[in-house]
Amino acid sequence: MNIPNSITTLIVGIAVTLISLWYGQHHGLMPVAASADANDVDELFNLMMTIATGLFILIEGALVICLIRFRRKKGDLTDGPAIEGNVPLEILWTAIPTLTVFILAIYSFEIYNKMGGLDPMVSGSGMAMSHHHHHNPSTMENMVAMGVDSQVAIGIGKSMSAGEQEPLVVEVNGLQYAWIFTYPDTGIISGDLHVPVDRPVQLNMKAADVIHAFWLPELRIKQDVMPGQLSQLSFVANREGTYPVICAELCGSYHGGMKTTMTVETAEGYDAWVQSRTVAMQSEENQTVAVNPSDLSDAAFLQAYAEEMGIIKNTLDQIPHGPMTMMSIHQ
Amino acid sequence: MSEATTHHGGDRKWTDYFTFCTDHKVIGIQYLVTSFFFYFIGGALAEMVRTELATPDPDFVSPEVYNQLFTMHGTIMIFLWIVPAGAAFANYLIPLMIGADDMAFPRLNAVAFWMQPVGGILLISSFFVGAPQAGWTSYPPLSLISGKWGEELWILCLLILGTASILGAINFVTTIFKMRIPEMDIHSMPLFCWAMLATSALILLSTPVLAAALILLSFDLMAGTAFFNPTGGGDPIVYQHLFWFYSHPAVYIMVLPFFGVISEVLPVHSRKPIFGYRAIAYSGLAISFLGLIVWAHHMFTSGTPGWLRMFFMATTMLVAVPTGIKIFSWCATLWGGKLQLNSALLFAIGFLSSFLIGGLSGVMLAAAPFDIHVHDTYFVVGHFHYVLFGGSVFALFSAVYHWYPKMTGKMYDEFWGKLHFAMTFVGFNMTFLPMHYLGMQGMNRRIALYDPQFQSLNQVCTIGSYILALSTLPFLVSMVLGLVKGEAAGRNPWRALTLEWQTTSPPSIENFDEVPVLWAGPYDYGIDSESEDAGESVEEMLAEVAEVG
Ligand code: HEM
Ligand SMILES: [Cu+2]
Ligand SMILES: [Cu+2]
C-alpha cells in the first residue's frame, strides 16, 4: 500500500468514525425518556446506532464505489483478478463482528440487570400479597384464589424491597379491549393510570381473556399480560407528563383501540387525584348498589366504566360474551 | 455466441406443466409459477393493509377484516411464496448444477409440489368461512376464540405445506449427496447446493415441531382439549415455544437459499471468483445451527424468565458473526471486479444493501433491553421486511433474471428489468424505512386504527407500497417481451462456469446429452489472468462447449 493511499484510508476512517459518533447521539429516533431505566436503554441504543452507522457507511459505501469504479467497460470480455480469499482479512472481519457482539452482549446484560431483569422480582404472588390485605372486588387475592399462587411472576423491574420508599402497588387487568387499574390501598378502580413522580411503582398484571401486552413507550418497558399467570413491571417515573399506555400484543379486532394513558404527577397532584376519585366512586356506588356485576353481560358491565375509561362504543360491541372474558373482574 | 437453438428444450409441451410430471425442471417451473401466483395475492392483501393504514381510522375495512388481511398476507408470503420459491430454484438447479439427470426421488418431488396448490386453495378458501384473524403466529388463546373454521383451515394448510417441505428437504439432501458426477467433490460443489444443504437440515430438524404444535392447537380448537387453553389449565406459553422453535429457523429457511443464489450471481456478473468459498459454505451451516437455538428472542416480553432471556440474547447476537462473514465476502467478491450491471446484478446489489439494514436492526433486536421496547411494534415490521423482502425477494428477482435465459432459452428485456429494479428499490425503502421510526415512537403493529400523530409517515409508507405494487408491471413486461421477442440465449449467455450452463437452454429432458465434464471450478474466473490474455481461458472453454453442443 502506498503512502497517499493509507492517508486517504486514515482520513476516511476518521470521518466515518466522527459521523457515526455524532449520529449515534443525535438520531432523535426515541421518544422522551421518563425514567432512569429509559435513559439506560437509550444509551445502549445510541451505542448500537453508532456501530450500525459506521458499518452502514462502510458497506454501502463499498457497494457504491463498486457500482461506480468497477463497471465493465463496453466490449471488455476479460475477467477480473482471480482473488479467492485472503486469510488475514477474513480473520479480521470474523474478529470484528465477534468482538462487537461480545461488547454489545455484555453491555446489554449490564443494562438488563440494572433494570432489574434478573432480579428475583417479588418471586411469586404470595410475597407480593403479603404486605397488602385489602378487600376489593378485583384485587390479587382473587387471582390467587384462581390458582396462580404457586407461580413465580415474570416481568422486569427491581424488586421493591423494604427500606426503600414504599412502592405504590397497582393491579392491572387487561381485557378485550381495556386496561383496568385497581389501587388496593385506596380501592380506586380506574381506566387510566396515575402515579406520583419519583416514587417506585409496582404493577401486578393479569389478563382476563387473551394475552395482552402492557407497553409504556416513554419508559421503554413492555410485558405480556397473560390469563392464568401473574406478571409484573416495576419502575420509577422521573418526569411529569401524560404518556400513552398501549397494548402491544394482538388481542382481537379492536387491539388497536386498546390504549389509555399514564399520568405522572407530583405527590400533591396524585393525592388530589386520589381524593377526586374516591368521591366519584362513592357516588357511583350509590347508583349501582343494587347491581351484582356478575349478573351483567360483559358489555353491560363495562358500559358503566366506558365513558370513564375512554372506551369507544364499537369496542364494547366487540366484546365477546363468551365465558372466558372478564372472569377475574366478575369475581 | 455459439449455437442458438437446439430444440431439445422444446420437448416439453405446455400441458406438461399441469400434470403430475416427475421432471425436476418442470417441477421447478411449476413451483415458481405457483409461488408467483400467490405472491400477487399476498401482495394485493398487503396493499389493502397499507390502504387501510393511510388514515388513522379503520375506515377502509372493518377491524376484523383488517386482522384477516394481515394474517393471510403473512401466511401466504411465508408459506406460499418465499419458501416454495426457494424450493423452485432448488428443484430446477440442483440436478443441473451437480450434473445429474433428475432428483433422487422424482415422484416424491412431484407429490411435494402438488401439495402446494392443495394447501394454498385450502387457505384461500378460508375467506369463505371467515379467514383466520390471529396473525401468522396464531397464538392461543386468541386463536382459539376468533373463528373456528378459518383457523382450522389455516392449521391444515400449514400441516400440508410443512409436510411438503420435509419431503422436498429429504430429496435435496439425498440428491446432493448421491447424485453428483464423480469428479465433483463436496468442495467443488456450487454454493447454492451448500445453501440448500443448510436449509434442508433446518427443515428436517424444526418442521416436525411445528406440526406437533399445530396438531395440539387443532385439538384445543376442535376437541376442546386444553393443551394451550388457560381456562382449562393449559399453558399458552408452551405453544409459543413450540411455534418459534420452528418459526425462527423458518426465517433462515426463507433466506438461506437466496444467500446461495447471491453466491452464484455475484461471481458471474462481476467476473471474479467468489471470495472465501469455504467461509461462505461453512457459515451457512453455522447459521442453520445457531438458528436452532435462538427462538426465545421472539418471547423476550412474554412468559420468559430473565436468565433465559439472557441466554437467548447471547445466542442471537452470535448469528451476526457468520452473517457478517457472508456480507463481507460478497462485497469483496464485487470489489475490483468487472461488473456487468444488468438486472440480475442490480437486484443482487440491492439485496446486499437492504439485507445489511435488516441485519443491523436484527442485532439491535437481539439486545433484550432494546427489544423489550420495540417488540411487536412497527420497528419489527420494518426489520423483518428488510430481511424478507430485502433479503429474499430481491435475491429471488436476481435469480429469476439470472436463470431466465437457461429456463426459457430467451433473453429478457433489460430496459424493463432495470426499471423494475429502480421502482422496487425506491418503493421498498419508502415503504419500510419509516416503519422503524414509527415503531420506536410508539406505533404498535397489527392495528387497523392508530394515533393521528403517525399519519404523515404512514402515508409515505402507503405511497411507497403503491410504487412497489406498480413495479411488478415492468417485471411482467420484461418477462413477456423476453418470451415473445427475446433474443435466443444460447447455452451460456453469461459465460458462467457452473454446470447448468453446459447444457442447452432450456435443457433437454434428460438434462445433459452426455455426462458433463468439470472443466473448471464453479468460480474460477480470471484464473489465467496473470498471463497476458485474461479472457482466453473462458473463451477456450466456451469454444469447447460449442463443439460438444
Ligand atoms: C408488497 C410489499 C409488502 C408490503 C407493502 C407489506 C406490508 C406489510 C404490513 C404493513 C404488515 C404489517 C401488519 C402488522 O403487523 O401490523 C405486514 C406484515 C407481514 N408481512 Fe408484509 N408486506 C409486503 C411484502 C411482504 C413479503 C414479501 C413478505 C415475506 C416474504 C412479507 C411478510 C410479512 C409477514 C410475515 C407479516 C406479519 C403478518 C402478521 O403479523 O401476522 N411481507 N406486511
Ligand atoms: Cu390487548
Ligand atoms: Cu392488544
Side-chain angles (χ1 to χ4, degrees), chain B residues 1-4 268-269 271 340 402-403 405-406 409 411 488-505 519 525 538-539 541-543 545-546:
Chain B
M1 205 129 295
S2 53
E3 42 56 75
V268 176
H269 298 281
R271 311 304 310 162
Q340 183 179 4
H402 182 71
W403 280 291
K406 180 51 59 186
M411 294 305 282
R491 294 183 167 226
N492 193 356
W494 310 128
R495 301 178 297 129
L497 297 180
T498 39
L499 289 188
E500 77 271 24
W501 301 101
Q502 276 194 30
T503 184
T504 48
S505 309
W519 30 253
Y525 299 100
V538 172
E539 292 303 305
M541 289 170 194
L542 292 174
V545 179

Side-chain angles (χ1 to χ4, degrees), chain B residues 1 107 157 164 171 293 372 389 399-400 407 422 431 435 443 505 522:
Chain B
M1 205 129 295
R107 300 180 131 268
C157 162
N171 223 337
I293 52 170
I372 287 173
F389 201 118
V400 168
M407 291 177 171
T431 312
M435 290 185 181
M443 182 166 163
S505 309

Side-chain angles (χ1 to χ4, degrees), chain B residues 46 70 73 77-78 82 135-136 378 384-385 432 445-446 468:
Chain B
F70 72 72
H73 160 72
M77 285 300 193
I78 290 176
I82 271 304
W136 83 282
Y378 264 84
F384 72 72
H385 283 90
F432 297 111
R445 65 188 278 213
R446 296 170 160 177
L468 210 46

Side-chain angles (χ1 to χ4, degrees), chain A residues 27-32 41 44-45 48-53 55-63 65-73 76-86 89-90 93-94 96-102 104-109 111-113 115 117-118 154-156 176-177 209-211 213 215-229 244 246-259 312 314 318 320 323-325 327, chain B residues 58 63-64 67 70-71 133-135 137 139-142 145 229-231 235-237 240 270-277 279 300-307 309-310 313-314 317-318 320-321 324-325 327-329 331-332 334-341 346 349 352-354 356-357 360 363-365 367-377 379 437 439-451 495 523-530 533-535 537-539:
Chain A
H27 49 73
L29 292 169
M30 286 288 206
V32 294
V41 174
L44 171 65
F45 178 64
M48 296 195 297
M49 204 61 204
T50 308
I51 298 172
T53 309
L55 285 170
F56 178 84
I57 299 177
L58 206 74
I59 294 172
E60 301 286 353
L63 290 176
I65 292 176
C66 287
L67 278 172
I68 296 167
R69 248 182 71 189
F70 301 120
R71 310 170 78 130
R72 196 185 68 171
K73 311 253 168 351
D76 179 1
L77 286 181
T78 59
D79 288 350
I83 307 164
E84 292 189 349
N86 180 325
L89 197 60
E90 289 176 58
W93 71 44
T94 310
I96 291 175
T98 312
L99 205 70
T100 315
V101 300
F102 195 69
L104 280 185
I106 290 181
Y107 188 33
S108 308
F109 178 83
I111 303 277
Y112 188 72
N113 201 12
M115 292 171 77
L118 291 181
I154 280 165
I156 191 164
Q176 289 171 320
Y177 299 94
D209 37 40
V210 297
I211 302 174
W215 182 29
L216 293 168
E218 278 73 11
L219 278 87
R220 318 281 189 266
I221 47 177
K222 179 184 294 131
Q223 174 59 47
D224 280 11
V225 180
M226 285 156 288
Q229 189 169 4
I246 298 172
C247 173
E249 179 68 51
L250 176 63
C251 58
S253 19
Y254 278 87
H255 162 57
M258 183 166 169
K259 56 186 167 193
I312 48 177
N314 281 347
Q318 266 312 301
M324 287 187 60
T325 50
M327 255 173 354
Chain B
E64 301 84 57
N67 288 5
F70 72 72
T71 300
Q133 300 181 29
T137 48
Y139 280 3
L142 182 65
I145 61 168
N229 194 341
T231 28
D235 188 350
I237 305 300
Q240 298 184 9
S270 52
R271 311 304 310 162
K272 273 184 72 209
I274 188 90
F275 194 98
Y277 174 95
F300 281 156
T301 69
S302 126
T304 313
W307 62 271
R309 297 181 189 190
M310 292 301 99
M313 179 170 90
M317 287 201 173
L318 273 185
V321 177
I325 292 175
I327 292 193
F328 285 124
S329 304
C331 289
L334 288 170
W335 192 265
K338 302 197 168 181
L339 312 192
Q340 183 179 4
L341 290 184
L346 284 175
I349 293 175
L352 278 175
S353 88
S354 16
L356 172 69
I357 298 178
L360 293 175
V363 175
M364 294 178 177
L365 287 171
F370 176 70
D371 177 76
I372 287 173
H373 176 50
V374 294
H375 174 75
D376 260 332
T377 70
F379 186 94
Y437 179 72
M440 280 185 268
Q441 289 290 313
M443 182 166 163
N444 47 338
R445 65 188 278 213
R446 296 170 160 177
I447 51 172
L449 55 165
Y450 59 85
D451 196 302
R495 301 178 297 129
Y523 311 108
D524 285 349
Y525 299 100
I527 286 301
D528 291 340
S529 62
E530 268 72 64
D533 185 355
S537 57
V538 172
E539 292 303 305

Side-chain angles (χ1 to χ4, degrees), chain A residues 16-301:
Chain A
V16 170
T17 313
L18 289 179
I19 296 173
S20 313
L21 281 173
W22 185 85
Y23 187 68
Q25 303 294 322
H26 296 88
H27 49 73
L29 292 169
M30 286 288 206
V32 294
S35 72
D37 286 345
N39 282 321
D40 289 339
V41 174
D42 289 1
E43 287 297 312
L44 171 65
F45 178 64
N46 289 352
L47 173 69
M48 296 195 297
M49 204 61 204
T50 308
I51 298 172
T53 309
L55 285 170
F56 178 84
I57 299 177
L58 206 74
I59 294 172
E60 301 286 353
L63 290 176
V64 171
I65 292 176
C66 287
L67 278 172
I68 296 167
R69 248 182 71 189
F70 301 120
R71 310 170 78 130
R72 196 185 68 171
K73 311 253 168 351
K74 236 191 154 69
D76 179 1
L77 286 181
T78 59
D79 288 350
I83 307 164
E84 292 189 349
N86 180 325
V87 176
L89 197 60
E90 289 176 58
I91 290 176
L92 181 75
W93 71 44
T94 310
I96 291 175
T98 312
L99 205 70
T100 315
V101 300
F102 195 69
I103 294 169
L104 280 185
I106 290 181
Y107 188 33
S108 308
F109 178 83
E110 279 294 315
I111 303 277
Y112 188 72
N113 201 12
K114 206 168 150 199
M115 292 171 77
L118 291 181
D119 219 290
M121 300 289 298
V122 196
S123 287
S125 40
M127 227 186 118
M129 293 325 304
S130 58
H131 314 295
H132 308 282
H133 289 284
H134 297 276
H135 296 282
N136 196 283
S138 62
T139 54
M140 212 52 76
E141 274 94 340
N142 293 315
M143 298 181 179
V144 171
M146 287 171 60
V148 290
D149 50 343
S150 57
Q151 291 179 10
V152 173
I154 280 165
I156 191 164
K158 283 180 269 296
S159 54
M160 305 287 178
S161 51
E164 289 169 26
Q165 206 183 352
E166 173 83 359
L168 172 69
V169 177
V170 185
E171 273 139 32
V172 180
N173 207 319
L175 63 145
Q176 289 171 320
Y177 299 94
W179 296 109
I180 294 175
F181 303 97
T182 310
Y183 292 70
D185 285 332
T186 52
I188 293 176
I189 301 177
S190 170
D192 61 345
L193 181 61
H194 285 250
V195 301
V197 71
D198 291 330
R199 170 157 171 212
V201 176
Q202 180 179 313
L203 306 179
N204 294 330
M205 313 191 294
K206 261 201 69 187
D209 37 40
V210 297
I211 302 174
H212 304 269
F214 190 88
W215 182 29
L216 293 168
E218 278 73 11
L219 278 87
R220 318 281 189 266
I221 47 177
K222 179 184 294 131
Q223 174 59 47
D224 280 11
V225 180
M226 285 156 288
Q229 189 169 4
L230 182 66
S231 56
Q232 290 175 322
L233 277 178
S234 42
F235 58 85
V236 184
N238 63 7
R239 190 177 180 284
E240 285 168 44
T242 299
Y243 308 116
V245 174
I246 298 172
C247 173
E249 179 68 51
L250 176 63
C251 58
S253 19
Y254 278 87
H255 162 57
M258 183 166 169
K259 56 186 167 193
T260 178
T261 56
M262 173 173 81
T263 306
V264 181
E265 50 199 340
T266 57
E268 301 79 59
Y270 173 71
D271 287 341
W273 176 77
V274 170
Q275 277 299 313
S276 69
R277 286 308 320 241
T278 317
V279 174
M281 282 221 315
Q282 275 157 0
S283 61
E284 260 169 46
E285 260 164 34
N286 292 338
Q287 287 164 15
T288 55
V289 70
V291 185
N292 176 354
S294 54
D295 294 339
L296 295 175
S297 78
D298 293 341
F301 174 82

